[in-house]
Amino acid sequence: MRLALYEPDIPQNTGAILRLAACLGVAVDLIEPFGFPFDDRRMRRSGMDYLDRVEIRRHGSWASFQAAKAGRIVLLTTAGDRTLPGFGFEADDILLLGRESAGVPAAIHEAADIRLRIPMQAEMRSLNIALAAALALGEGLRQTGGWPG
């Protein structure tokens, strides 16, 4: 299982997701361009010393990411047609998260194999992407036996 971030625009969230991935032994795909300078100082502020322990693959574009991917793309989106409870994960799924400010464009929505929604109270818009990543990744690892020993 992998996490993928589509054009992330908040460095603190990216750092938190990288830290999550390091702790759980999950690789991360970062799809450019970023909405911030991707530098060591910004990432270390939220990712701390965990960043040396995560496998990061940077992709210069969506096309580059698609050419390198293996497994289903599971887009976490508020417009998902399936919900997290009851969804069946596979070990090679790639959990894709969109930009914090805008999600993903329609073409990326259509390219996803699955559009997965985390149910929330009706009056709430969305979760922070780091929290959404943690919820979905935790359930995916539970289902596939992927939690670290």
Side-chain angles (χ1 to χ4, degrees):
M1 195 157 300
R2 302 177 71 85
L3 291 171
L5 305 182
Y6 178 83
E7 299 183 2
D9 54 10
I10 299 178
Q12 296 85 351
N13 284 337
T14 301
I17 290 169
L18 292 174
R19 182 177 178 176
L20 170 71
C23 288
L24 298 181
V26 173
V28 178
D29 293 285
L30 298 175
I31 304 163
E32 299 183 34
F34 306 134
F36 55 88
F38 189 84
D39 63 30
D40 197 50
R41 179 184 61 80
R42 289 176 191 265
M43 291 300 99
R44 294 238 175 253
R45 184 174 300 157
S46 54
M48 299 173 52
D49 58 343
Y50 295 82
L51 300 185
D52 295 333
R53 304 285 308 269
V54 63
E55 176 191 333
I56 299 172
R57 287 190 200 156
R58 288 176 67 171
H59 305 275
S61 67
W62 172 253
S64 169
F65 166 74
Q66 280 194 299
K69 77 162 183 76
R72 301 184 303 179
I73 296 176
V74 179
L75 174 64
L76 299 177
T77 172
T78 58
D81 50 1
R82 298 177 76 175
T83 60
L84 183 61
F87 177 71
F89 285 93
E90 296 177 6
D92 64 348
D93 282 344
I94 302 164
L95 306 182
L96 176 64
L97 297 114
R99 294 175 56 208
E100 295 90 341
S101 61
V104 297
I108 308 300
H109 243 269
E110 293 303 314
D113 298 298
I114 292 121
R115 286 164 291 285
L116 192 63
R117 178 173 45 86
I118 298 172
M120 298 181 295
Q121 297 292 327
E123 62 276 3
M124 298 291 117
R125 285 189 315 271
S126 65
L127 291 168
N128 172 284
I129 68 163
L131 295 175
L135 280 167
L137 180 60
E139 178 60 13
L141 293 176
R142 182 192 70 78
Q143 288 184 22
T144 61
W147 281 97

